[in-house]
């Protein structure tokens, strides 16, 4: 995998950013903290906009590709937009005063008779207030997407009320907070107790809650232009620095090592983002207070110590480390983030793209061994998508976007129930991967309820990226979405039925000029990937898991047709290759069954000379639905509460060709691949003769390797000769 940019790339960063030291008591206790409400002039990034009030977050020069603003990309009709619309209904309907109830009560203000949302968001809950931060982000994203005045009015109302709570706490809080920037839905006690290493559940992740509130405020500012939101968030940042900047590094590290109580979400990320907007070195210094040094150093050295750690407690830390790399140029941060991603994606990822069992990381490659009803916490996938996206900004490794598509199309799209609700986000917490499980929806007031509100109002954020020099447009996802790129004068519309098919059409609606169009060739696109421009097929070798570049001078009306036919394919669990999932292109198919044990599937006996799973898995009659072994297979992203099997047990005990049984065991050669696996690898076969020659050659190899006896070899070849396989 290519390396992220080195320190040499960062020489032109502002001197203030480069000079911020690792925190020690002597340096941080004396740092000047401006008066409450005052903001220093924003720091400018070379080549990027200044962080003026109401502006987008400045873009670091370390990003070799850059995202478009959320409001520059509009979703078209289809499954993603339908899921988004369900969440927009919730955003419009849910009462703002219920979100504010816990904040107002803590500040001694009138709650206006509103009751807290419930779940973890209760009047005495130790995580109360976090849900309000998520709700701010929900509204900010929804407004950026739709420009609905009602959403903006509700967002501004919430921000104003939170500012009033902050002021009330500073003036007459009981007890008075240690700094006038304090804002939370409970007294400062939890933060004080954490500093003496108090454990969960006496306290419950106070800085996690702080992060969610600050993130929501920054989103209200950067996505919706709310000036008060930045002021409130900046005061909170001043409080964070005043609280942590005086503590010894060893004390901070011990705090962050505590299970759940020390969970801080993305505090390092939000403080770094706040610094980008304010230019205040105290804010960057506070971001570095959250270095979880033992894990940071291990990951930077590519030492995997994740087993037994709380997954979502640690995933967002690494997005924060990337943001610190952007500001400081310290390679340790970037190395750690990249290596951590590789420790999760693949070795600890279920077929839908999620990770973790019961919120915890398990051993590497322990997939089949950990399947149950509490896999794949949705929060963890939300944060893995953020990390993947930020890694891609630095290094355009297609694997990041292949993973992004997998997790977005399967787990995130599947995490919203397909029904309307004005009182609940109707999203998942755990997504079980064991046999016969079902998804549970709802989650008002929980962590996954909060990230779930956000997930479905930002589907378009990674469809398109642009190169830093503006000469290239990356098409990462083939969703129906229209891009407006005013700096280049382009409007590009993409029409697609994804995830129901692998074809997409991109049309230049407005604009002209030279541009490199970089089209992602998905890793699953093994059945071909073709591109035409105005009906003319384009040259170039499309390698799955890469980008194909089409360079030309574009004109209004140009049409690019991308075709990547879906096909049925198998993915095996690394710790037990007989435990498998079935995909159609990028889409995970699940068997509808309440059976509490694995269903046993055998496919090879149905193969014809074309050697395709379509010989054994047949269309059911509805789009994207199939049948096999008497069961219906459906796309996992359908949001219902049916019981399902995401994995099955593959049973191919005997070498059989059609109805001809050789009676010879279908052995594993030691790497999880059986005789039949290897025979069918080169399919399709043009004739029966070619098929028989392939069987005879492989049987000879296995005889020489001691995997077949001479008698078994003869029986296998005889069965192949006698088989009547259709073409």
């Amino acid at each position: 995998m290519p390396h992220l940019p080195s320190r040499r790339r960062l020489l032109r960063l502002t001197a203030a950013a480069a000079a911020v030291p690792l925190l020690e008591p002597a340096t941080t206790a004396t740092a000047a903290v401006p008066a409450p409400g005052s903001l220093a002039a924003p720091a400018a990034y070379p080549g990027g906009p200044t962080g003026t009030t109401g502006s987008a977050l400045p873009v670091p020069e370390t990003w070799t590709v850059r995202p478009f603003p959320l409001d520059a990309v509009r979703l078209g009709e289809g499954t993603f937009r339908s899921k988004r619309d369900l969440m927009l209904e919730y955003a419009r309907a849910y009462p703002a005063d219920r979100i504010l109830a816990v904040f107002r009560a803590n500040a001694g203000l009138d709650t206006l008779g509103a009751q807290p949302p419930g779940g973890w968001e209760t009047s005495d809950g130790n995580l109360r207030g976090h849900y309000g931060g998520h709700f701010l982000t929900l509204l900010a994203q929804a407004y950026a997407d739709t420009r609905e005045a009602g959403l903006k009015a509700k967002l501004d109302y919430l921000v104003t009320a939170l500012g009033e709570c902050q002021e009330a706490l500073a003036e007459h809080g009981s007890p008075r907070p240690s700094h006038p920037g304090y804002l939370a839905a409970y007294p400062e006690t939890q933060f004080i107790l954490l500093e003496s290493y108090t454990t969960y559940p006496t306290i419950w992740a106070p800085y996690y809650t702080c992060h969610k509130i600050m993130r929501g405020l920054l989103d209200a500012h950067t996505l919706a232009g709310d000036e008060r939101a930045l002021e409130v968030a900046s005061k909170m940042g001043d409080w964070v620095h005043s609280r942590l900047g005086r503590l010894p590094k060893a004390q901070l590290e011990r705090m962050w090592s505590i299970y759940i109580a020390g969970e801080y979400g993305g505090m390092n990320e939000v403080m770094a983002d706040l610094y980008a907007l304010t230019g205040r070195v105290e804010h960057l210094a506070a971001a570095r207070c959250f270095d979880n040094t033992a894990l940071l150093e291990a990951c930077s050295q590519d030492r995997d110590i994740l087993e037994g750690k709380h997954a979502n407690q640690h995933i967002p830390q690494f997005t924060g480390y990337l943001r610190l790399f952007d500001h400081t140029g310290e390679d340790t941060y970037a190395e750690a983030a990249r290596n951590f991603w590789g420790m999760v994606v693949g070795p600890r990822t279920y077929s839908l793209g999620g990770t973790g069992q019961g919120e915890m990381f398990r051993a590497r490659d322990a997939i089949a061994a950990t399947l149950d009803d509490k896999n794949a916490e949705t929060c963890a996938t939300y944060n893995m998508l953020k990390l993947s996206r930020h890694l891609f900004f630095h290094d355009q490794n297609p694997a990041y976007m292949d993973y992004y598509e997998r997790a977005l199309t399967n787990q995130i799209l599947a995490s919203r129930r397909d029904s309307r609700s004005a009182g609940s986000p109707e999203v998942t917490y755990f997504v079980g991967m064991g046999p016969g499980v079902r998804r549970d929806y709802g989650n008002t007031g929980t962590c996954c309820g909060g990230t779930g509100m956000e997930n479905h109002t930002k589907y378009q954020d990674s469809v398109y990226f642009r190169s830093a020099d503006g000469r290239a447009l990356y098409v990462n996802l083939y969703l129906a979405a229209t891009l407006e790129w005013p700096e280049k004068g382009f409007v590009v519309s993409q029409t697609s039925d994804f995830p129901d098919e692998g074809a997409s059409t991109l049309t230049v609606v407005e604009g002209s000029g030279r541009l490199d169009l970089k089209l992602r060739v998905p890793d699953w696109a093994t059945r071909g990937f073709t591109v035409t421009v105005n009906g003319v097929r384009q040259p170039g070798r499309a390698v799955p898991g890469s980008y194909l570049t089409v360079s030309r001078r574009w004109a209004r009306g140009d049409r690019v047709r991308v075709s990547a036919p879906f096909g049925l394919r198998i993915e095996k669990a690394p710790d037990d290759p007989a435990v498998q999932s079935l995909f159609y292109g990028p889409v995970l198919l699940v068997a509808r069954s309440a059976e509490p044990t694995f269903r046993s599937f055998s496919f090879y006996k149905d193969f014809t000379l074309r050697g395709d799973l379509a010989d054994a898995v047949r269309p059911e009659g509805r789009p994207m639905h199939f049948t096999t072994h008497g069961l219906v297979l459906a796309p996992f992203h359908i949001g219902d509460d049916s019981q399902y099997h995401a994995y099955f047990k593959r049973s191919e005990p005997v070498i059989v060709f059609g109805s001809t049984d050789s009676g010879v065991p279908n052995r594993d050669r030691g790497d999880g691949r059986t005789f039949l696996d290897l025979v069918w690898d080169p399919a399709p076969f043009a004739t029966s003769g070619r098929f028989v020659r392939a069987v005879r050659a492989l049987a000879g190899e296995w005889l020489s390797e001691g995997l077949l006896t001479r008698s078994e070899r003869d029986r296998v070849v005889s069965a192949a000769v006698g088989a009547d396989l259709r073409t």
Side-chain angles (χ1 to χ4, degrees), residues 10-30:
L10 304 166
L11 293 178
R12 289 179 291 165
L13 282 174
T14 60
V20 174
L22 283 170
L23 290 180
E24 296 293 346
T27 60
T28 58
T30 57

Side-chain angles (χ1 to χ4, degrees), residues 495-719:
T495 57
S496 166
D497 286 332
F498 188 90
D500 290 345
E501 69 172 15
S504 171
T505 300
L506 294 138
T507 303
V508 179
V509 179
E510 298 287 348
S512 62
R514 181 159 292 281
L515 189 69
D516 291 344
L517 189 65
K518 293 185 175 291
L519 303 165
R520 185 175 66 89
V521 184
D523 59 355
W524 50 262
T526 57
R527 300 171 72 91
F529 184 91
T530 58
V531 178
T532 63
V533 177
N534 301 328
V536 178
R537 183 162 179 170
Q538 299 300 292
R541 182 165 172 257
V543 178
S546 71
Y547 278 81
L548 180 67
T549 301
V550 179
S551 300
R552 62 180 278 136
R553 181 171 292 279
W554 301 92
R556 182 177 179 179
D558 282 345
R559 296 169 66 87
V560 180
R561 178 72 172 173
V562 178
S563 178
F566 287 1
L568 293 161
R569 60 187 179 84
I570 291 292
E571 288 191 3
K572 300 177 181 180
D575 51 335
D576 185 351
V579 176
Q580 302 180 356
S581 284
L582 187 63
F583 283 79
Y584 188 53
V587 178
L588 174 64
L589 299 176
V590 292
R592 296 288 176 82
S593 170
E595 182 68 34
T597 57
F598 285 111
R599 300 301 298 254
S600 179
F601 289 175
S602 177
F603 297 135
Y604 286 134
K605 61 182 174 53
D606 296 314
F607 273 23
T608 65
L609 290 177
R610 66 179 183 174
D612 196 307
L613 282 166
D615 295 325
V617 180
R618 308 284 167 73
E620 185 258 0
R622 291 172 288 172
M624 299 291 291
H625 286 68
F626 301 86
T627 61
T628 191
H629 296 78
L631 299 175
V632 173
L633 303 174
F636 190 51
H637 60 70
I638 295 174
D640 60 24
D641 56 3
S642 300
Q643 290 176 272
Y644 60 85
H645 289 233
Y647 285 89
F648 57 88
K649 279 275 193 178
R650 186 73 173 269
S651 177
E652 308 281 3
V654 180
I655 298 174
V656 174
F657 306 118
S659 59
T660 306
D661 186 342
S662 72
V664 176
N666 182 37
R667 298 188 182 98
D668 179 338
R669 79 180 318 174
D671 60 359
R673 295 171 63 73
T674 67
F675 185 90
L676 286 174
D677 292 334
L678 296 172
V679 161
W680 288 109
D681 266 356
F685 298 99
T687 65
S688 295
R690 291 186 180 180
F691 170 71
V692 170
R693 285 196 293 274
V695 172
R696 181 176 283 114
L698 183 62
E701 289 178 21
W702 279 48
L703 174 63
S704 66
E705 294 173 13
L707 297 171
L708 289 177
T709 66
R710 190 171 298 278
S711 172
E712 288 174 333
R713 188 274 312 267
D714 293 343
R715 281 185 282 157
V716 167
V717 173
S718 176

